[in-house]
Amino acid sequence: MSGLRVAVVGSGPAGVYAAAALARAGDVSVDVLDRLPAPYGLVRYGVAPDHVKMKAVDGALRKVLEDPAVRFLGNVDVGTDLTLADLHRCYDGIVFATGAAVDRRLGVPGEDLPGSFSATDFVAWYSGHPDAQLDRFTLHARHVVVIGVGNVAVDVARVLTKTAAALAPTDVPGHVLDVLGASAVTDVTMVGRRGPAHARFTTKELRELGEIAGADVVVDPADLVLSPAEQEAVDGDRTLRANLEVLRGWAARTPTGAPRRLFLRFWLRPVEVLGTGAVTGLRTERAGLVDGRLVGTGETVDLPAQMVLRSVGYRVVPPVGLPLDETTGTVPHDAGRVLRDGRPVPGVYVAGWLKRGPTGVIGTNKPDGTETARSLLADAPTLPRAPERDPDAIVALLRERRVRAVGWSGWQAIDAAEQALGAARDCARVKIADRGTLLSTAFPELSAEADTPSR
Ligand code: NAP
């Protein structure tokens, strides 16, 4: 019998690192499937465009997808185009690494008013995600409130505060750059419901906010007064200590009168997104901790805003009916082996955010994906073998269902087209956002045919 056949669903860092560890084992062939025509998941569609160094991780991921033991199949939606049963028919093992793309809800009135968006939507739009509506954001707002003080909040606040000129050398799509260039935004306010000693951002990311040309960072020194318990926590944690040092430096600065201002506010709990018909502000309540519990003081603070971005974390929606542990918000697993009612589901594994929740940095996915691959390889001798062993059977099945899988050559055509767009803007790449254009670039013959791709 031929070697092990594995499907990895999701071509983000967790999936690709799992594929790398599987391919390294030898005598394993891996298909990496992704519902998007382009690979790299969060590296391409989540890492901010100006985080060029972190984006360069795609070079390492590309090497894996170019390994002869690995095949990329984009534009294939597992759950829609293929069922779990289809995968079991063609693969001995299946690793799900589809992430946690859905935003958490805030649960306050006005959350769905026009002008109130999830940060996920904004990130998808500026990253040129094919699911993002091209004209979703206009940036006519002068004041923007960003709810949350994690690294995603820092990303969106930074992109809103930077000038279009500063973002032009990045891969942001042309239509995004046009909107950023015409942006009316002058004030961006990040709001933490707890204090600076509880903020989730990391120091390197925080520090970048103070380096934005044409913007003043404003911090109220009163927000930086710590309780004895907070002081103790800060003393014992290098990141918190460094964060506080950065914030104190800003609190001591005199604003220069720069055209844009970025405020960091703490201890304000969102109560309501204000407005009738459209957002006019965010109502917050001053809050504090009592016995570790966040308690409102009754004092209301209204922040004017014509746009609110909710950046309060992501949540896992398990694919193809995999179980969800409501307490951890993840798919229950044992070192990557999916557990249903405490028992391993034969041949089914998870990696990345599905496995550990929306935490960690890109690099966290390497040990995570490797651990899952190791579990699968250890189980291999006892895994029931898939009946269909022809590697082309899955492509034929997709064709039958009128789904055109984007293979590596299709992605290379997209890659080349994006680099050509980049050359015209004097940068390495400009992303193509529109799904139809991605597909007609991957399959040039289709633009001449009446037969258009399925999605
Ligand atoms: P996060 O780190 O979990 O931060 C979520 C923020 O939302 C916290 O400040 C949290 O406050 C706040 N929040 C949650 N519920 C709230 C509510 N009901 N009202 C007000 N505030 C609320 O999530 P994230 O920023 O989405 O980041 C996800 C992961 O990606 C993290 O591991 C992050 O480090 C990573 N990431 C890394 C980078 C980078 O390395 N450059 C960039 C982007 C993302 P509480 O703490 O009070 O709950």
Side-chain angles (χ1 to χ4, degrees):
M1 184 170 289
S2 59
L4 199 68
R5 291 190 37 72
V6 180
V8 172
V9 185
S11 67
V16 176
Y17 284 129
L22 289 162
R24 265 199 311 273
D27 209 22
V28 181
S29 62
V30 188
D31 281 350
V32 178
L33 290 79
D34 202 295
R35 72 183 185 86
L36 298 179
Y40 310 138
L42 217 55
V43 171
R44 182 173 157 95
Y45 292 117
V47 172
D50 54 344
H51 278 172
V52 177
K53 249 198 192 148
M54 214 183 297
K55 277 217 173 290
V57 172
D58 66 0
L61 304 186
R62 188 189 69 226
K63 280 202 184 106
V64 178
L65 295 177
E66 286 178 345
D67 185 308
V70 179
R71 178 171 63 168
F72 173 68
L73 295 174
N75 194 38
V76 177
D77 190 349
V78 171
T80 307
D81 302 326
L82 294 173
T83 63
L84 183 57
D86 293 328
L87 294 182
H88 276 306
R89 200 153 61 78
C90 297
Y91 302 99
D92 309 316
I94 305 145
V95 177
F96 286 94
T98 50
V102 180
D103 56 288
R104 284 176 50 196
R105 300 281 295 168
L106 197 56
V108 302
E111 187 168 11
D112 296 316
L113 273 173
S116 166
F117 304 91
S118 73
T120 320
D121 268 4
F122 189 55
V123 171
W125 174 76
Y126 69 60
S127 300
H129 193 292
D131 289 351
Q133 220 179 290
L134 299 184
D135 59 357
R136 180 91 169 120
F137 290 90
T138 54
L139 302 188
H140 292 153
R142 285 203 306 120
H143 298 117
V144 181
V145 167
V146 178
I147 303 172
V149 282
N151 277 333
V152 171
V154 170
D155 277 348
V156 299
R158 192 181 65 255
V159 168
L160 283 166
T161 309
K162 277 193 171 181
T163 61
L167 290 162
T170 73
D171 65 8
V172 287
H175 69 282
V176 171
L177 199 61
D178 289 346
V179 172
L180 291 172
S183 165
V185 173
T186 56
D187 292 53
V188 177
T189 306
M190 286 174 64
V191 181
R193 61 178 170 179
R194 297 190 289 160
H198 310 275
R200 304 273 184 93
F201 43 59
T202 39
T203 314
K204 184 177 150 292
E205 282 64 29
L206 179 66
R207 201 172 272 134
E208 280 177 68
L209 296 179
E211 294 159 4
I212 300 174
D216 282 323
V217 182
V218 186
V219 177
D220 181 352
D223 272 352
L224 306 182
V225 177
L226 304 179
S227 70
E230 286 163 352
Q231 186 62 57
E232 200 181 321
V234 168
D235 289 343
D237 185 302
R238 213 149 50 110
T239 302
L240 292 183
R241 244 188 356 256
N243 285 353
L244 259 298
E245 203 177 298
V246 172
L247 292 167
R248 291 206 169 105
W250 291 338
R253 273 191 199 172
T254 311
T256 64
R260 284 185 176 159
R261 282 165 299 278
L262 176 48
F263 297 86
L264 280 99
R265 313 252 338 232
F266 295 95
W267 297 116
L268 296 176
R269 176 164 83 173
V271 173
E272 182 180 355
V273 179
L274 300 170
T276 42
V279 167
T280 55
L282 178 74
R283 174 154 299 161
T284 67
E285 181 185 16
R286 210 173 278 288
L289 288 176
V290 178
D291 298 329
R293 239 170 27 89
L294 193 68
V295 176
T297 61
E299 183 193 345
T300 295
V301 178
D302 287 351
L303 305 171
Q306 300 78 47
M307 175 174 164
V308 167
L309 284 176
R310 309 174 311 262
S311 182
V312 296
Y314 297 96
R315 68 192 167 89
V316 162
V317 178
V320 295
L322 294 188
L324 177 73
D325 181 333
E326 299 284 354
T327 342
T328 60
T330 59
V331 174
H333 71 95
D334 169 23
R337 297 174 180 91
V338 172
L339 302 175
R340 192 182 288 280
D341 303 324
R343 296 219 176 117
V345 181
V348 182
Y349 301 82
V350 278
W353 278 4
L354 281 181
K355 178 182 172 188
R356 61 171 207 278
T359 59
V361 294
I362 298 292
T364 317
N365 292 294
K366 198 168 187 177
D368 179 320
T370 305
E371 180 194 56
T372 296
R374 278 207 194 108
S375 297
L376 193 158
L377 292 167
D379 297 347
T382 58
L383 286 179
R385 285 300 190 260
E388 179 55 78
R389 308 211 65 78
D390 179 352
D392 289 334
I394 195 83
V395 181
L397 179 65
L398 287 165
R399 219 170 245 285
E400 224 173 79
R401 293 179 183 169
R402 291 180 50 81
V403 177
R404 298 255 186 171
V406 174
W408 195 245
S409 59
W411 158 244
Q412 281 178 315
I414 295 170
D415 194 24
E418 291 190 338
Q419 289 183 38
L421 287 174
R425 204 169 81 193
D426 213 13
C427 56
R429 162 190 312 276
V430 168
K431 272 197 209 143
I432 298 171
D434 172 61
R435 185 183 277 271
T437 311
L438 287 169
L439 291 176
S440 58
T441 308
F443 304 111
E445 71 279 10
L446 286 185
S447 27
E449 289 176 21
D451 173 24
T452 48
S454 68
R455 282 190 313 275

